[in-house]
C-alpha cells in the first residue's frame, strides 16, 4: 500500500535557526567565491575579431570574476582553472593541474591578453572541443570526479563550420555530459545573430554579454554560484519549479526512502551540522506541488517499498557554508 500524499510526512532538517520555518523561506545556496568547488576551463577567442581592446576587457573581467577564488591543487572546496585560446584552431595554454595559486592564474590571463593572434576568423567549435579535452584530462584516475565542471567561453564571433563542426551540436553533447557552459559575448561588430547564437550554446540563463554593467557579478552569481549549488547523485534538488531547467535552485535535496533509516540519517546529519539544527515535519502546498510529479519519477526509477515516505535533508556540504 502506498502512503497517500496527505498522511505522508515531509521532513526537513535546517542547519540554522535563521531559516524561519513556516514562513516559506527556502534555504538558499551560499555564494562565496572563495570556497566554490569547481573545475573551470576559460576559453578565450584571441583572434583579430576580439582584438587588443577586446582582449584587455576580457582579461580584466576574468581577473575580477576569480579575484576571490581559491585556485589551487589542494583538494577540498577549491577551484581549478585551465585556459584555452582559439581562432581558426585552438591552443591549450594551461591544464587544470597547472595553477597552484590565484595570483599566477591572473597574471597569465593578462599575458595572454597582450598577444592577440593573426587569425581573422574564430571557430567556437574548436575552442569548445579543446576545453572538453582539458576537462577530461583533468579527471584521470577519478580525481575530483564529484566536482562540477564549467566552461566559460569568451567569444567575439559566432561561425559554424558546417554540419560536422557545429558548435551548438557540440555544446549540446557537452551539456548532456553534465558540464555547464557560460558564454560571454564581446560584440565588436554589432552582429545581431551573434549573441543569439551564444544563447544556444550556453546553459539556460547563462549567456552574458559585455553591455552588462555588472558582468563579473552576473557571471559569479548567475553562473558559477548556481552551478556550485547541486545535490549528490541519487538526490533530487528542490527548485522553484519542477522540470524547469532555469528554475531557482535551493540548498535542499530530496530523496524517497525507507522511513526509519532515513529518519535516523536525517537526524544524525542535522546533529552534525550545528548545535541549533533540528528536525521538523512539514506539509506546505508549494512543496506538495513539487513533490507530486517527483513521486512518479522516482517510483518509476526505483520502486518504493511499502510505507516509504518522502524525506528531505539538506546536503550537509558547502551549501550552508558562507
Ligand atoms: C584554499 O583551500 C585550501 C583547502 O581547503 C585551504 O587549506 C587554504 O587555506 C585555502 N586558501 C585560501 C587562500 O583560502
Ligand atoms: C546583453 O546583456 C544585457 C544585460 O544583461 C541584456 O539586457 C541584453 O538582452 C543582452 N543582449 C542580448 C542580445 O542578449
Ligand atoms: C567566504 O568564505 C571565507 C573562507 O571560508 C571566509 O573567510 C569569508 O568570510 C566568507 N565571506 C563571506 C562574505 O561570507
Amino acid at each position: 500500500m502506498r502512503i497517500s500524499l496527505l498522511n505522508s510526512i515531509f521532513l526537513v532538517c535546517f542547519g540554522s535557526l535563521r531559516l524561519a520555518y513556516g514562513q516559506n523561506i527556502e534555504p538558499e545556496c551560499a555564494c562565496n567565491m572563495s570556497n566554490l568547488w569547481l573545475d573551470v576551463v576559460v576559453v578565450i577567442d584571441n583572434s583579430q575579431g576580439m582584438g587588443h581592446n577586446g582582449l584587455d576587457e576580457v582579461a580584466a573581467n576574468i581577473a575580477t570574476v576569480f579575484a576571490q577564488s581559491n585556485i589551487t591543487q589542494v583538494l577540498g572546496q577549491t577551484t581549478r582553472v585551465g585556459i584555452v585560446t582559439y581562432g581558426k584552431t585552438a591552443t591549450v595554454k594551461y591544464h587544470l593541474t597547472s595553477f597552484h595559486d590565484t595570483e599566477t592564474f591572473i597574471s597569465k590571463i593578462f599575458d595572454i591578453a597582450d598577444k592577440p593572434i593573426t587569425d581573422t576568423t574564430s571557430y567556437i567549435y574548436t575552442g569548445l572541443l579543446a576545453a572538453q579535452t582539458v576537462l577530461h584530462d583533468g579527471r584521470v584516475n577519478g580525481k575530483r570526479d564529484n566536482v562540477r565542471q564549467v566552461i566559460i567561453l569568451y567569444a567575439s564571433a559566432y561561425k559554424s563550420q558546417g554540419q560536422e563542426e557545429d558548435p551548438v551540436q557540440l555544446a549540446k553533447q557537452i551539456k548532456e555530459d553534465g558540464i555547464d557552459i557560460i558564454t560571454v559575448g564581446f560584440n565588436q561588430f554589432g552582429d545581431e545573430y551573434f549573441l543569439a547564437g551564444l544563447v544556444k550554446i550556453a546553459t539556460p540563463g547563462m549567456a552574458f554579454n559585455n553591455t552588462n554593467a555588472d558582468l563579473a557579478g552576473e557571471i559569479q552569481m548567475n553562473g558559477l554560484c548556481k552551478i556550485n549549488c547541486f545535490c549528490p547523485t541519487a538526490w533530487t534538488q528542490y527548485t522553484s519549479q519542477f522540470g524547469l531547467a532555469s528554475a531557482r535552485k535551493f540548498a535542499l535535496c530530496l530523496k524517497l526512502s525507507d522511513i526509519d533509516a532515513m529518519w535516523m540519517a536525517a537526524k544524525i546529519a542535522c546533529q552534525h551540522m550545528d548545535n541549533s539544527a533540528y528536525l521538523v515535519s512539514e506539509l506546505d502546498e508549494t512543496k506538495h506541488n513539487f513533490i507530486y510529479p517527483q513521486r512518479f519519477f522516482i517510483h518509476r526509477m526505483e520502486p518504493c517499498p511499502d510505507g516509504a515516505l518522502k524525506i528531505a535533508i539538506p546536503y550537509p556540504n558547502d551549501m550552508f557554508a558562507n
Side-chain angles (χ1 to χ4, degrees):
M1 177 203 81
R2 259 177 210 164
I3 288 216
S4 85
L5 224 47
L6 273 176
N7 55 33
S8 66
I9 302 169
F10 187 80
L11 302 170
V12 183
C13 146
F14 284 128
S16 158
L17 290 166
R18 277 180 296 121
L19 302 165
Y21 162 66
Q23 292 175 24
N24 236 352
I25 299 172
E26 306 301 346
E28 297 280 352
C29 288
C31 182
N32 182 336
M33 291 301 294
S34 65
N35 49 30
L36 294 192
W37 197 31
L38 298 173
D39 281 349
V40 186
V41 179
V42 176
V43 179
I44 305 168
D45 173 348
N46 65 343
S47 71
Q48 291 292 312
M50 190 65 92
H52 245 301
N53 292 346
L55 274 178
D56 281 344
E57 221 186 303
V58 168
N61 180 261
I62 295 173
T64 312
V65 169
F66 290 97
Q68 280 94 43
S69 297
N70 186 354
I71 297 175
T72 173
Q73 298 298 317
V74 178
L75 297 180
Q77 281 175 229
T78 56
T79 301
R80 296 192 301 173
V81 190
I83 307 174
V84 166
T85 60
Y86 73 98
K88 259 185 143 150
T89 58
T91 309
V92 175
K93 296 277 186 184
Y94 295 95
H95 288 273
L96 285 175
T97 47
S98 299
F99 294 112
H100 294 265
D101 65 275
T102 307
E103 291 71 31
T104 310
F105 165 71
I106 288 175
S107 93
K108 294 301 178 194
I109 282 288
F110 281 103
D111 285 351
I112 288 167
D114 261 351
K115 302 182 194 85
I117 53 172
T118 54
D119 292 6
T120 50
T121 37
S122 59
Y123 293 127
I124 288 172
Y125 179 90
T126 181
L128 287 181
L129 197 65
Q132 194 183 29
T133 311
V134 170
L135 287 171
H136 178 263
D137 292 351
R139 211 153 260 201
V140 284
N141 306 325
K143 192 174 181 188
R144 277 169 66 97
D145 62 3
N146 50 359
V147 173
R148 294 296 303 271
Q149 297 168 292
V150 192
I151 293 170
I152 310 182
L153 173 74
Y154 288 84
S156 76
Y158 175 86
K159 290 194 182 72
S160 191
Q161 291 155 275
Q163 281 187 344
E164 258 144 59
E165 298 189 335
D166 176 9
V168 173
Q169 209 42 46
L170 176 59
K172 186 165 170 266
Q173 258 175 47
I174 290 173
K175 287 180 282 187
E176 279 167 6
D177 285 344
I179 298 166
D180 282 294
I181 305 178
I182 295 171
T183 61
V184 189
F186 277 72
N187 200 352
Q188 310 279 302
F189 304 115
D191 172 359
E192 57 185 290
Y193 298 109
F194 164 53
L195 292 175
L198 291 184
V199 168
K200 289 188 271 178
I201 286 171
T203 296
M206 298 193 186
F208 306 111
N209 68 69
N210 68 337
T211 64
N212 194 313
D214 184 22
L215 180 57
E218 283 285 314
I219 295 171
Q220 291 176 329
M221 282 177 4
N222 291 320
L224 299 175
C225 283
K226 280 200 176 154
I227 294 165
N228 190 62
C229 178
F230 68 103
C231 288
T233 316
W235 290 76
T236 302
Q237 190 154 24
Y238 180 58
T239 65
S240 57
Q241 193 182 331
F242 172 74
L244 178 70
S246 57
R248 211 156 121 233
K249 299 192 282 185
F250 295 107
L252 197 61
C253 301
L254 311 172
K255 195 176 191 176
L256 271 176
S257 192
D258 170 73
I259 177 66
D260 290 334
M262 281 316 297
W263 174 259
M264 279 313 295
K267 219 162 114 182
I268 291 164
C270 283
Q271 282 162 354
H272 279 165
M273 274 165 46
D274 90 44
N275 291 336
S276 63
Y278 59 101
L279 278 164
V280 293
S281 62
E282 177 181 16
L283 212 63
D284 86 35
E285 199 186 344
T286 327
K287 285 206 186 62
H288 253 185
N289 295 342
F290 179 82
I291 286 292
Y292 190 67
Q294 287 291 352
R295 278 168 64 90
F296 281 107
F297 178 64
I298 294 170
H299 273 296
R300 208 174 58 220
M301 299 290 290
E302 182 188 284
C304 257
D306 276 355
L309 294 175
K310 304 180 291 296
I311 308 282
I313 64 167
Y315 184 30
N317 194 336
D318 50 336
M319 286 177 171
F320 287 92
N322 49 40

